[in-house]
Amino acid sequence: TYDRSHRYEALRARQPTPRFGVRAHRIDAFIEAFLIEREARGLSPETLRSYVADLGVFAQWLRSDGHPENPAEWDIHLLRGYVAYLQRKPSKMRVGRISAMTVRSYTSRLLAFLRWLYEEGYASTDLAAKLRKPQATQRVVQSLAQPRYRAS
């Protein structure tokens, strides 16, 4: 099961995160507050784990490339740069890059986070409205309507 008690302990002990326009905080505080809101909405433990993993990749990218961690300082170009980074990211499971569907999944979770930041007043611009999920090739699944094998 998803044990959230230790993840949120530090956040609950802190003062509330300041709104947009006040001293910048680290991305981790925003992610933690977002996860608490998602948990309160009743999202499944698996969905919460996906948010933790995918937004963790985003936070790591911000830090490793020296980008601002305050959402008030982000712009659409920064976020498009992140999506481009994902599209070049090597896969841990296979040779080559992560799949286009995986990039779409990461982007979907980022979009939810961006919408929340805007709705809560942590960002002055609705960047989720400007950022588009990259296209992915759709797999063709054969129909089971016509059986391949006949019963004998």
Side-chain angles (χ1 to χ4, degrees):
T1 63
Y2 180 74
D3 179 17
R4 66 198 175 289
S5 58
H6 68 281
R7 286 197 56 82
Y8 303 136
E9 189 174 302
L11 181 65
R12 289 181 178 139
R14 260 196 323 253
Q15 293 295 322
T17 305
R19 295 287 186 192
F20 170 74
V22 186
R23 186 171 168 256
H25 279 255
R26 296 184 55 101
I27 184 67
D28 299 326
F30 293 105
I31 292 172
E32 293 291 339
F34 173 73
L35 292 171
I36 288 171
E37 187 272 340
R38 293 291 142 152
E39 181 185 14
R41 286 174 134 199
L43 270 62
S44 74
E46 289 76 23
T47 302
L48 291 171
R49 276 194 287 274
S50 294
Y51 276 115
V52 168
D54 293 359
L55 293 176
V57 170
F58 178 63
Q60 181 58 36
W61 177 79
L62 288 174
R63 283 191 280 274
S64 67
D65 281 13
H67 297 297
E69 293 188 40
N70 183 354
E73 299 177 43
W74 300 344
D75 62 18
I76 192 63
H77 305 293
L78 175 102
L79 299 172
R80 288 178 183 148
Y82 174 67
V83 173
Y85 158 78
L86 289 174
Q87 291 170 326
R88 295 186 306 268
K89 186 174 173 23
S91 173
K92 293 179 182 177
M93 305 299 279
R94 60 188 178 97
V95 176
R97 292 174 268 185
I98 61 174
S99 74
M101 289 303 289
T102 302
V103 173
R104 281 181 65 85
S105 294
Y106 277 80
T107 306
S108 291
R109 290 182 188 91
L110 178 62
L111 286 169
F113 180 57
L114 293 171
R115 279 187 211 96
W116 176 83
L117 288 167
Y118 179 69
E119 289 167 2
E120 293 292 315
Y122 296 120
S124 62
T125 306
D126 183 8
L127 294 172
K130 297 179 181 182
L131 185 64
R132 300 283 176 244
K133 286 188 265 186
Q135 291 191 3
T137 56
Q138 296 199 356
R139 296 181 184 176
V140 177
V141 178
Q142 285 189 335
S143 171
L144 297 177
Q146 295 179 2
R148 292 185 190 175
Y149 307 101
R150 292 184 177 208
S152 29

